[in-house]
Amino acid sequence: MKNFSFLIVGILTGIVLTKSEVISWFRIQEMFRFESIHMYGVIGTAVVLGAAIIFLMKYFKIKTWSGTTVSYTPIPLSWKRHLLAGSIFGLGWGLAGACPGPMYALLGNGYWLFLLIIASAVFGTFVYGLIRDKLPH
Amino acid sequence: MTDSLLFIEWIRQPWHWAAGGAGIAAVVFLMTWMGRSFGISTSFKDICSLAGADKVNDFFKMDLKEEMWRLLFVLGIIIGSYMTSQWLRSPEPVAISQSTIDYLAGKGIAYPEADANDMGFFPTSFFNFSNLKGILLAIVGGFLVGFGSRYGGGCTSGHAITGLSHLQLPSLLTVVGFFIGGLIMVHFILPFLF
C-alpha cells in the first residue's frame, strides 16, 4: 500500500509541474535566453525552500517512513563527468524543451509526440549502459 | 458558488513562480518524509530493465520491486497532468515574455498559435508526426536527455532540486553543465535548425 501513496504524490507532482509552467518548451527557450525570471524563480524558490526543509528535517531528526533519519548518499566528485554529462543533458533539454518529469507531464497533457521522446530517452539510457565503461567518470 | 468551486477557480489561475517553487518544495518534503528521494530519470533505467535490458548488460540488473514506487510516481505524474489539462487548465496560454515571442516569430514559430492545444506548452507546428525534421530533432533531444541524465547520475529533479537542497557540489557542477549545454543549443544550434 505504501507504493500507492507515491501514485498520489505523483498526481500532485503532475498538477504542480503543469501549473508552474516548467513543462513549457517556450518557458525553457525563454530561460536560456534570459528573457524572464519565471524559470529561475520557480527553481530558485524550490531549492531555497527544499534546502530549508531538508536542514530542518535533519536538525530535528525527523523519522522517515523507512524508520531512518534523512540522509544523502553523495556521488563521488568528478569535475569531468559532471560537466560533460550535464552538458549532454543540457543540449537535449534546450532542444526538446523538456527534462524527464515534464516529458511525462506533457504526455499527460495530450502531447503524443512525447511517447516517442520518452522512448528515445529510454534508448539513450540503454546506450549509456552499454558504453559507460568507455566514458570518463 | 460553493467554497470548493471557488478553490478550483483559484487553482486554475496561472501560478506565480513562487507558488510553483513552493509546490515543488512540497513534493521534495513528501518524498523525503516517505523515505525516498525526488528523482525521475531513473524511471528510464527501470523501463530498460523491464524491457529486458538486464539480460544484455549488468548495469540494468536491479531489484524492480524496489523501484515500483518510482514507476507509480511517474504514472501519477501522467495522471495528474491529464487531470490538470481537463479541470485545472489556465484560461490563457502561458504568458511568455514579448522578447521571446518576437524572437520565435522571426524563426517562423508564431506564439501562441504554434501550440495546437493552445496551452503554450509545446510547438506542435514544428514538432509533430508529419514533420520529419521535427520528429528527428525530437528523437535526438530525447536521446541526449536520457543519455546525459544517466551519465550524470540524475536530471533536474535529482540534481537541480534534490542534490542542491542537500548542498551537493557534484549536483551544482551538473547543473552548471545543464546550462552550458542548454545555452549552446538555444543560442548556437537551434536557431539554424528550424
Side-chain angles (χ1 to χ4, degrees):
Chain A
M1 265 351 268
K2 259 187 189 174
N3 278 339
F4 279 90
S5 318
F6 286 93
L7 185 76
I8 308 296
V9 179
I11 290 173
L12 174 73
T13 308
I15 295 171
V16 169
L17 291 176
T18 304
K19 291 307 296 182
S20 64
E21 301 172 353
V22 297
I23 66 170
S24 169
W25 181 95
F26 301 96
R27 281 282 189 212
I28 304 303
Q29 285 285 309
E30 188 186 56
M31 168 180 78
F32 285 128
R33 294 178 53 78
F34 302 105
E35 289 174 329
S36 166
I37 193 184
H38 187 90
M39 288 295 300
Y40 298 98
V42 173
I43 297 173
T45 307
V47 171
V48 169
L49 290 178
I53 288 166
I54 299 289
F55 172 80
L56 290 173
M57 289 178 86
K58 282 177 179 166
Y59 188 82
F60 289 107
K61 299 189 172 60
I62 304 285
K63 283 264 179 0
T64 68
W65 284 14
S66 331
T68 55
T69 50
V70 177
S71 64
Y72 189 88
T73 316
I75 57 173
L77 181 65
S78 156
W79 284 69
K80 212 187 255 179
R81 174 193 177 192
H82 305 315
L83 291 174
L84 191 58
S87 300
I88 295 171
F89 178 94
L91 287 168
W93 193 14
L95 179 56
C99 48
M103 285 182 181
Y104 291 111
L106 283 161
L107 180 62
N109 272 289
Y111 294 84
W112 300 110
L113 193 65
F114 277 88
L115 279 174
L116 183 68
I117 297 177
I118 291 169
S120 183
V122 169
F123 182 66
T125 303
F126 179 64
V127 172
Y128 166 73
L130 296 185
I131 66 168
R132 71 187 198 286
D133 296 339
K134 297 179 182 67
L135 300 166
H137 278 85
Chain B
M1 217 188 277
T2 66
D3 285 352
S4 62
L5 274 175
L6 273 174
F7 178 72
I8 286 178
E9 277 308 307
W10 183 66
I11 293 281
R12 277 183 48 152
Q13 299 303 309
W15 290 9
H16 188 273
W17 50 258
I24 294 173
V27 171
V28 170
F29 166 71
L30 286 171
M31 301 281 278
T32 308
W33 177 57
M34 289 158 79
R36 303 288 184 181
S37 68
F38 183 38
I40 297 174
S41 64
T42 305
S43 66
F44 298 147
K45 191 180 171 191
D46 298 338
I47 298 172
C48 283
S49 183
L50 273 175
D54 55 329
K55 293 176 191 76
V56 183
N57 191 297
D58 284 350
F59 181 66
F60 299 103
K61 282 208 167 82
M62 52 210 288
D63 183 3
L64 279 174
K65 266 191 218 131
E66 267 300 300
E67 286 290 314
M68 268 313 285
W69 70 271
R70 197 189 313 270
L71 292 168
L72 286 163
F73 176 63
V74 296
L75 179 66
I77 293 179
I78 298 173
I79 296 171
S81 302
Y82 171 76
M83 289 162 60
T84 310
S85 72
Q86 297 302 304
W87 302 309
L88 300 173
R89 185 176 163 154
S90 303
E92 302 288 331
V94 175
I96 61 169
S97 73
Q98 191 56 46
S99 41
T100 310
I101 293 175
D102 294 343
Y103 163 74
L104 288 172
K107 295 287 167 195
I109 294 182
Y111 191 84
E113 296 82 3
D115 180 358
N117 293 356
D118 204 27
M119 294 194 272
F121 287 165
F122 197 60
T124 55
S125 64
F126 182 77
F127 292 106
N128 63 66
F129 284 111
S130 3
N131 180 9
L132 184 63
K133 201 169 155 191
I135 291 180
L136 291 175
L137 291 178
I139 289 175
V140 171
F143 182 91
L144 292 170
V145 166
F147 185 95
S149 57
R150 202 67 280 120
Y151 182 16
C155 61
T156 331
S157 58
H159 280 309
I161 307 290
T162 310
L164 289 186
S165 290
H166 282 272
L167 313 177
Q168 295 293 308
L169 179 59
S171 293
L172 182 63
L173 292 173
T174 309
V175 174
V176 169
F178 291 170
F179 270 82
I180 295 172
L183 290 171
I184 292 174
M185 176 56 68
V186 167
H187 291 271
F188 304 116
I189 305 179
L190 198 54
F192 306 99
L193 294 178
F194 287 125

